[in-house]
C-alpha cells in the first residue's frame, strides 16, 4: 500500500491516472470500450505520456495529439 501512495505522490498535479482518464471521458466521441479508449488507457499508463497530455493545453490540442499517437 505504501508503494501506491509513493507512486501517486510523484505525479504532477493533474497528471494522475484518475485525472487524465476523467478528462478523457469528458470528450465527446470517446466511448468506453472503443479502440481509441482502449489505446489511451494503455498509453496513459506511462507517467511521461500523462504529463505530455496535461501540458497540451486546450482539449482540441489534446484530441489532435491523441489521434496522431493512435494512428
Amino acid at each position: 500500500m505504501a508503494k501506491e501512495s509513493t507512486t501517486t505522490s510523484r505525479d504532477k498535479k493533474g497528471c494522475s491516472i484518475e485525472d487524465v482518464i476523467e478528462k478523457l471521458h469528458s470528450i465527446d466521441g470517446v466511448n468506453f470500450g472503443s479502440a481509441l479508449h482502449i489505446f489511451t488507457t494503455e498509453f496513459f499508463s506511462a507517467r511521461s505520456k500523462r504529463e505530455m497530455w496535461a501540458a497540451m493545453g486546450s482539449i482540441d490540442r489534446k484530441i489532435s495529439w491523441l489521434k496522431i499517437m493512435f494512428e
Side-chain angles (χ1 to χ4, degrees):
M1 191 117 163
K3 187 174 183 177
E4 288 180 25
S5 61
T6 302
T7 300
T8 302
S9 68
R10 290 189 292 177
D11 287 334
K12 293 180 181 179
K13 184 177 180 178
C15 297
S16 71
I17 291 172
E18 292 85 5
D19 292 337
V20 171
I21 295 300
E22 180 181 335
K23 191 70 164 175
L24 177 70
H25 287 164
S26 73
I27 299 170
D28 287 336
V30 177
N31 301 314
F32 186 82
S34 69
L36 179 59
H37 184 266
I38 292 167
F39 167 78
T40 54
T41 54
E42 174 122 359
F43 187 76
F44 288 141
S45 65
R47 179 179 292 115
S48 63
K49 291 178 177 144
R50 294 192 308 271
E51 290 174 355
M52 183 62 73
W53 161 267
M56 285 287 142
S58 75
I59 197 67
D60 291 333
R61 287 183 182 169
K62 290 177 181 189
I63 293 168
S64 295
W65 182 70
L66 275 179
K67 287 180 179 177
I68 290 167
M69 300 310 291
F70 181 62
E71 294 174 346

